[in-house]
Amino acid sequence: MASLYLKKSPMLDFHSSLTLPAPSRADRDVANASKGHCTAFAVLGEGAGIRVKAESHLEFCHLLLLNAREDVVDLREQVRFRHRRIEHVFDIVATLATGKTIGFTVKPEIRLLSGRFLEKMGLVTWHARKQDFVDEVRLLTEADIDPVDLHNAKILAAVRRPDPDAEHVARAVASGLVGGRSLQDLTVATGLHARGYRALLRLVRAGVLRTVRHEPITPKTLVCWKGDSE
C-alpha cells in the first residue's frame, strides 16, 4: 500500500521537522463528540498518512479493515453524491489498484429491519453507477467484521511510518525463510529489538510476509516469505 493517500501533499511542521498528516478529504464534518453514538478521528494511510473521521465505531472499524487491504490504494470518507433530487453521503469510497471505485455505506443490521433504508439504497446505487460516480455500491454491517482481521488491521495501521534501514535488515533475514518462523525469532535474528519487530510488521503490512494461520498477530505468530508482487 505504498501509494496510499498521496493525492495531497502533507504539511511540514518546521519546528519539529516532522511531516504532519494530510487533512481529511471528507465532504461532511463529523461532530467532535456525541451523546448518542461514538465518533472517531484517526490517521490512516502510509507514511505521514491522512486524517480520517467516522460517525460511528462501526464505520471506524470498516475504515481500519479497508486500510489494511493490499488492493486498496485510496480511501475517502464522508463522500457526498448528488444527482437531481437524489443525495447520499457514502461513509467510505475506496479505489482499488485496478482503478475500480466502490462506495460503501455502513449501517448496523438493526437499522435495516424495516427495509426503508435498503429501498433508498437501491435508488442511490442505480443513480451513482449510472452517473459513473462509483463502479459498485456495497452495504457493510457488523456481520462483515472478522474480529481477527480487525485486531490485525489495528496493529498494521500503527506501523504506517517506514524505517528503510530496519526494513532492509528485516528483508535480508526473512527472505531466506523456508516454511514458517515466528515473528519473535525473526526479531531476534535482526538484532534490532523493537525496531526489528516493527520492521517485520511493516513487511506483513506490505504483503511481503504472510501469516501462516488466520490468527491475531502476536510475537509468536508464524510467518512465511511471500516476496514482492510483480
Side-chain angles (χ1 to χ4, degrees):
M1 299 176 69
S3 63
L4 196 58
Y5 320 152
L6 298 181
K7 289 188 176 180
K8 285 193 176 182
S9 298
M11 298 177 292
L12 187 65
D13 180 354
F14 292 100
H15 296 289
S16 63
S17 298
L18 291 177
T19 304
L20 299 179
S24 166
R25 291 178 286 156
D27 293 330
R28 179 173 67 178
D29 288 334
V30 171
N32 289 333
S34 171
K35 293 182 179 179
H37 59 87
C38 166
T39 58
F41 300 83
V43 177
L44 299 179
E46 181 74 7
I50 186 169
R51 294 182 178 92
V52 297
K53 42 194 173 183
E55 284 195 304
S56 69
H57 181 257
L58 185 59
E59 278 184 31
F60 181 54
C61 289
H62 280 296
L63 275 167
L64 285 167
L65 289 167
L66 288 166
N67 180 68
R69 282 177 47 170
E70 293 172 41
D71 63 335
V72 173
V73 297
D74 187 63
L75 282 179
R76 286 188 63 194
E77 82 281 20
Q78 307 299 321
V79 182
R80 191 182 306 278
F81 168 69
R82 282 196 188 102
H83 178 63
R84 296 178 182 173
R85 299 176 67 179
I86 302 294
E87 181 172 340
H88 178 72
V89 177
F90 286 99
D91 297 307
I92 309 167
V93 172
T95 302
L96 307 187
T98 60
K100 181 178 183 179
T101 56
I102 304 174
F104 293 95
T105 290
V106 181
K107 279 286 184 289
E109 288 195 322
I110 195 170
R111 297 279 298 276
L112 307 177
L113 295 179
S114 70
R116 289 191 298 271
F117 182 77
L118 293 175
E119 183 178 351
K120 173 197 171 184
M121 283 309 301
L123 187 61
V124 169
T125 298
W126 190 87
H127 283 283
R129 294 185 63 189
K130 185 174 177 61
Q131 297 302 313
D132 292 325
F133 187 78
V134 291
D135 297 309
E136 188 177 324
V137 174
R138 296 183 188 176
L139 176 64
L140 297 173
T141 72
E142 63 272 26
D144 297 298
I145 295 178
D146 181 318
V148 170
D149 289 339
L150 182 58
H151 169 92
N152 294 343
K154 291 176 181 178
I155 289 176
L156 299 182
V159 292
R160 71 176 192 276
R161 290 187 180 273
D163 184 348
D165 292 339
E167 288 168 41
H168 177 76
V169 173
R171 278 176 177 269
V173 168
S175 61
L177 275 179
V178 177
R181 194 173 176 189
S182 74
L183 287 169
Q184 185 175 41
D185 286 347
L186 291 172
T187 300
V188 172
T190 67
L192 297 175
H193 307 287
R195 190 179 170 197
Y197 183 64
R198 187 180 182 281
L200 290 164
L201 290 177
R202 288 273 304 165
L203 297 187
V204 174
R205 174 185 169 112
V208 177
L209 284 176
R210 293 283 194 191
T211 57
V212 173
R213 291 185 290 270
H214 182 63
E215 64 181 17
I217 293 174
T218 71
K220 294 182 179 180
T221 296
L222 296 178
V223 295
C224 59
W225 179 257
K226 178 178 178 292
D228 294 296
S229 300
E230 295 295 333

